[in-house]
């Protein structure tokens, strides 16, 4: 049996030593020198410069380094050592004092003498555009973030591996190379589906070995596992086959690899803890997180027992569709909202925002306290320039007030007689009046009969339809304006903030719907990239138009969360911190959370639309933001490539035709 | 075998007048995209589940209809008896529906027309007569016509009954 051979290896002293070293390097990345300065007997068999990781989408935050393969005795080790940044490095300058220091990131991602015996597989990506990269997946299920080969050399890397260790191309995917996988093909393909909590026999053993923690109890357990291997593994995975009808198992294995690569950025910070936990109770930290996640109330579609899963349950992952229970919550812990003291610290003596990127980052991760929104939103929306002074803003407010009054007077001066001959005006006004009376009337600010704030909503929207006559009024606009007026409490300031917002979101309301279509198309590409089984499911269910996400995108999730959370989400989106299109990653994150239900119940378009609509009020905002953050970081360049330039809310490209193409039917 | 017959009916509501059966409340919001609610209707000892679709009313969202109207069993055209334009637009809505939904047999696709808000101002502000409306319906292949007031729920039930009957009539004989 191959397994036997594998275990025999662990009795080999050299092997055990290397494993011990491995566990040390994983648990304490700061220990030991880099591979180049390994003691005698080590030989660098591969060295590649400019191998880079992308912790975020920002080029300035990328970390380049040198990738090495070092042979020591009969073992092969992989290292990736980031370059020391020059002290005036570009990446440093833009970082604020409260952002996490580059140095921490660098040590976080450093790979020191990873024994290749700990690697389960390496996935190669060779996109037609952009850099080649690899994702290294460990036997434990953890993965390192994508390593981008800026100077090429992926093929050479794999060829070098092949010279020194047993490496096999996956039968399922020509871009996946399996290492240390000596099991039968069925087991192999199945094991690529597994969760960390149910690692297969060999991997479980090697994980323990790597932790040098083989107790006698473990030994007996291992014997049992070996005895049962053939049949046990079959039954262990049999649950998966029942979904064969549409089981995207093939894609899922890739999906899993990709998913675990998400994990790495955040998981490495707690690697030692993770291993300790795995060691202590054999229960994966992923599942712990899962429990935490499912302990939160309000999760639609959560069966009662999901919330009650306890540490003893290891069958959680017996079904590949259970993967959505593995939350993607790996984004940074959400922070407390920006408070007044912090806000004041961002401003210089004359009121300029000194480091706008740091401010946007701060708000991205925590939002802003409500009483600061009135000020902060004007910057985020682009109504105020970050480098404007108190005095300039005060002046601007006065100028803009009178400008607003002038535009408003354009429709105010229309007499009843004139209106009779001005159908378009009457219709617009009628449409707006019909909508404002049903916009957020349960929010106290807009509550009750003859509420003056409802009239202000109407006035602003009608004025906007004159300010931007081509675009006019469209349903959904009142939803976008309502929180802005609620925050600003000032008609003119609300109007100009709304104008700034509509600079980006206007195309959502275009007559030809091109803005919506381009976003829905980008969303479908992102899902294809980040969750190909779900994509394949939606494809065969004829749902690829993504119209079931229409409301999410049209009004930035306004209807999906309670009022205060909408304001929180909007300020996060408006930072454009990780991406201008963070809202699309939010969509992916929500869909991923419910993918099991969607696929498991084989929802058709109508059912899916209803399901999505009824998620309103039941989506965990913070968790979803964190998921979206992780997805965004994981997708990186490939994600950006899914979103064509000019896709809203990117600023539209101005043409001679005007921003809002008309057709004959103007309302 | 009645039990084997399809009893779920997808009904699309279209028109300038807005949805017929939604009473004003604080929770009432304009539909963005599309949504539907379900309503049980009994007709001739058979129970139907009407899936009543409400789509965004504004014309610029009509291109979404391709997805939302797909598989519709019945289309309800609503106009406001107090607003001439809403009546004039009925034909546009009907044609737009047939384009977007592209049913297999457009000539015989079941429509229902509702003249809504007959209660407003005691009927004094009415500008579209019942006669005029019925004439239009007759010219479009005898579309069943109902006058309703959503506020009092008047005749709405009868309209739903008709949809069930309509669908039943249109249902291909698929006896086992």
């Amino acid at each position: 049996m191959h397994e036997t051979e594998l275990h025999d290896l662990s009795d080999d002293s050299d092997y055990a030593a290397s494993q011990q070293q491995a566990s040390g390097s994983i648990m304490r990345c700061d220990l030991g020198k880099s591979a180049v300065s390994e003691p005698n007997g080590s030989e660098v068999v591969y060295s590649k410069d400019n191998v880079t990781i992308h912790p975020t989408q920002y080029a300035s935050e990328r970390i380049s380094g040198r990738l090495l393969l070092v042979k020591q005795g009969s073992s092969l080790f992989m290292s990736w050592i980031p370059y020391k940044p020059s002290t005036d490095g570009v990446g440093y300058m833009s970082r604020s004092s409260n952002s996490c220091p580059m140095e921490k990131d660098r040590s976080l991602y450093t790979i020191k003498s990873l024994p290749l015996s700990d690697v389960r597989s390496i996935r190669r990506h060779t996109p037609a555009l952009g850099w080649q990269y690899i994702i290294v997946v460990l036997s434990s299920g953890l993965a390192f973030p994508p390593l981008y080969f800026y100077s090429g050399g992926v093929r050479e890397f794999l060829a070098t591996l092949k010279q020194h260790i047993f490496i096999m191309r996956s039968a399922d995917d020509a871009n996946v190379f399996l290492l240390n996988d000596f099991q039968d093909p069925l087991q192999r393909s199945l094991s690529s589906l597994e969760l960390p909590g149910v690692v297969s026999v060999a991997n479980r053993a090697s994980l323990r070995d790597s932790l040098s923690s083989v107790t006698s109890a473990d030994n007996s357990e291992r014997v049992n596992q070996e005895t049962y291997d053939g049949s046990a593994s079959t039954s262990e995975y049999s649950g998966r086959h029942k979904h064969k009808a549409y089981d995207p198992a093939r894609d899922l294995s890739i999906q899993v690899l990709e998913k675990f690569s998400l994990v790495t950025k955040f998981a490495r910070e707690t690697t030692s803890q993770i291993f300790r936990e795995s060691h202590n109770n054999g229960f994966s930290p992923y599942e712990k997180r899962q429990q935490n996640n499912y302990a939160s109330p309000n999760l639609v579609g959560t069966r009662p027992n999901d919330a009650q899963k306890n540490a003893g349950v290891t069958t959680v992952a017996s079904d590949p569709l259970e993967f959505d229970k593995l939350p993607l919550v790996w984004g940074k812990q959400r922070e407390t909202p920006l408070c007044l003291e912090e806000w004041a610290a961002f401003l210089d003596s004359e009121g300029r925002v000194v480091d706008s990127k740091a401010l946007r980052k701060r708000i991205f991760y925590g939002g802003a306290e409500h009483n600061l929104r009135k000020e902060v939103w004007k910057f985020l929306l682009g109504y105020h320039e970050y480098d404007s002074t108190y005095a300039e803003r005060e002046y601007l407010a006065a100028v803009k007030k009178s400008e607003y009054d002038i535009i408003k007077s354009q429709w105010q001066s229309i007499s009843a007689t004139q209106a009779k001959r001005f159908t378009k005006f009457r219709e617009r006004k009628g449409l707006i009046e019909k909508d404002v009376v049903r916009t957020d009337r349960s929010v106290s600010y807009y509550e009750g009969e003859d509420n003056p704030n409802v009239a202000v909503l109407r006035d602003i929207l009608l004025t906007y339809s004159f300010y931007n006559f081509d675009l006019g009024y469209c349903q959904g606009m009142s939803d976008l304006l309502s929180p802005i007026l609620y925050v600003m409490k000032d008609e003119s300031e609300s109007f100009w903030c709304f104008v700034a917002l509509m600079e980006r979101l206007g195309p959502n309301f275009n007559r030809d719907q091109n803005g919506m279509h381009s976003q829905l198309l980008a969303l479908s590409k992102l899902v294809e990239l980040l969750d190909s089984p779900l994509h394949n499911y939606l494809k065969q269910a004829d749902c690829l138009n993504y119209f079931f996400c229409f409301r999410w995108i049209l009004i930035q999730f306004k209807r999906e969360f309670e009022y205060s959370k909408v304001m929180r989400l909007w300020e996060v989106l408006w930072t454009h911190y990780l991406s201008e299109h963070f809202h699309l990653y939010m969509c992916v994150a929500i869909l991923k959370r419910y993918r099991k239900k969607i696929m498991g119940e084989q929802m058709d378009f109508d059912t899916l639309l209803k399901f999505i609509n009824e998620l309103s009020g039941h989506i965990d905002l913070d968790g979803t933001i964190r998921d979206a953050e992780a997805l965004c970081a994981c997708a990186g360049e490939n994600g950006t490539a899914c979103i064509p330039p000019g896709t809203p809310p990117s600023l539209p490209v101005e043409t001679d035709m005007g921003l809002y193409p008309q057709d004959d039917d103007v309302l | 075998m009645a039990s084997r017959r399809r009893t779920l009916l997808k009904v699309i509501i279209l028109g300038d007048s807005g949805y017929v059966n939604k009473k004003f409340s604080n929770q009432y919001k304009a539909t963005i995209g599309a949504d539907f609610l379900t309503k049980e209707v009994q007709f001739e000892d058979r129970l139907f589940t009407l899936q009543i679709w409400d789509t965004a009313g504004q014309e610029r969202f009509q291109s979404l209809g391709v997805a939302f109207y797909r598989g519709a069993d019945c289309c309800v055209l609503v106009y406001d008896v107090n607003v001439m334009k809403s009546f004039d637009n009925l034909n546009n809505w009907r044609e737009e529906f047939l384009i977007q939904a592209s049913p297999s047999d457009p000539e015989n696709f079941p429509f229902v027309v509702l003249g809504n808000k007959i209660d407003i101002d005691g009927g004094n502000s009415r500008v579209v007569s019942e006669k005029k409306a019925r004439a239009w319906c007759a010219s479009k292949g005898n579309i069943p016509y109902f006058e309703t007031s959503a506020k009092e729920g008047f005749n709405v039930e009868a309209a739903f009954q008709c949809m069930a009957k309509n669908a039943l009539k249109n249902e291909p004989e698929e006896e086992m």
Side-chain angles (χ1 to χ4, degrees), chain A residues 56 94 182 277 290 295 339 357 404 416 447 481 534 591 640:
Chain A
T56 67
S94 60
F182 305 106
E277 283 173 1
Q290 166 190 323
C339 68
K357 188 180 174 190
Y404 174 75
E447 213 167 41
L481 175 62
L534 181 61
L591 291 174
T640 313

Side-chain angles (χ1 to χ4, degrees), chain A residues 182-364:
Chain A
F182 305 106
Q183 301 167 51
D184 68 85
L186 174 66
Q187 172 73 17
R188 185 173 61 237
S189 61
L190 289 173
S191 66
S192 63
L193 298 174
E194 76 203 354
L195 273 177
V198 283
V199 283
S200 63
V201 178
N203 292 323
R204 204 176 274 169
S206 75
L207 178 61
R208 273 200 303 270
D209 289 347
S210 73
L211 290 163
S212 313
S213 62
V214 183
T215 64
S216 57
D218 285 330
N219 274 327
S220 65
E221 191 191 340
R222 187 198 299 170
V223 170
N224 279 337
Q225 284 164 347
E226 280 168 7
T227 312
Y228 290 124
D229 177 50
S231 57
S233 64
T234 311
S235 65
E236 184 175 0
Y237 294 110
S238 61
R240 292 171 182 175
H241 294 294
K242 68 186 175 209
H243 295 280
K244 206 73 187 178
Y246 61 95
D247 184 353
R250 244 189 61 133
D251 307 296
L252 197 59
S253 64
I254 296 157
Q255 170 68 12
V256 171
L257 300 185
E258 308 273 8
K259 190 164 202 167
F260 285 138
S261 79
L262 295 179
V263 161
T264 325
K265 173 183 178 186
F266 309 101
R268 290 209 70 199
E269 294 185 62
T270 50
T271 302
S272 57
Q273 191 195 347
I274 283 169
F275 275 76
R276 199 161 50 242
E277 283 173 1
S278 309
H279 175 205
N280 286 346
N281 55 17
F283 184 70
S284 141
Y286 305 97
E287 291 167 59
K288 282 191 183 301
R289 297 237 184 181
Q290 166 190 323
Q291 290 163 15
N292 293 341
N293 186 49
Y294 274 70
S296 67
N298 288 342
L299 262 174
V300 158
T302 307
R303 296 190 305 268
N305 63 328
D306 287 331
Q308 292 159 10
K309 289 242 160 74
N310 58 46
V313 182
T314 52
T315 54
V316 166
S318 63
D319 175 348
L321 294 174
E322 302 268 317
F323 268 114
D324 59 334
K325 289 193 193 159
L326 178 73
L328 279 164
V329 181
W330 297 102
K332 282 188 192 150
Q333 187 71 44
R334 301 294 300 163
E335 295 170 11
T336 56
L338 178 80
C339 68
L340 183 61
E341 292 71 27
E342 285 176 278
W343 168 238
F346 274 105
L347 299 170
D348 71 10
S349 59
E350 292 184 298
R352 295 182 193 87
V353 175
V354 183
D355 186 346
S356 63
K357 188 180 174 190
L359 174 67
R360 291 189 296 112
K361 180 176 182 176
R362 176 68 184 82
I363 293 169
F364 177 83

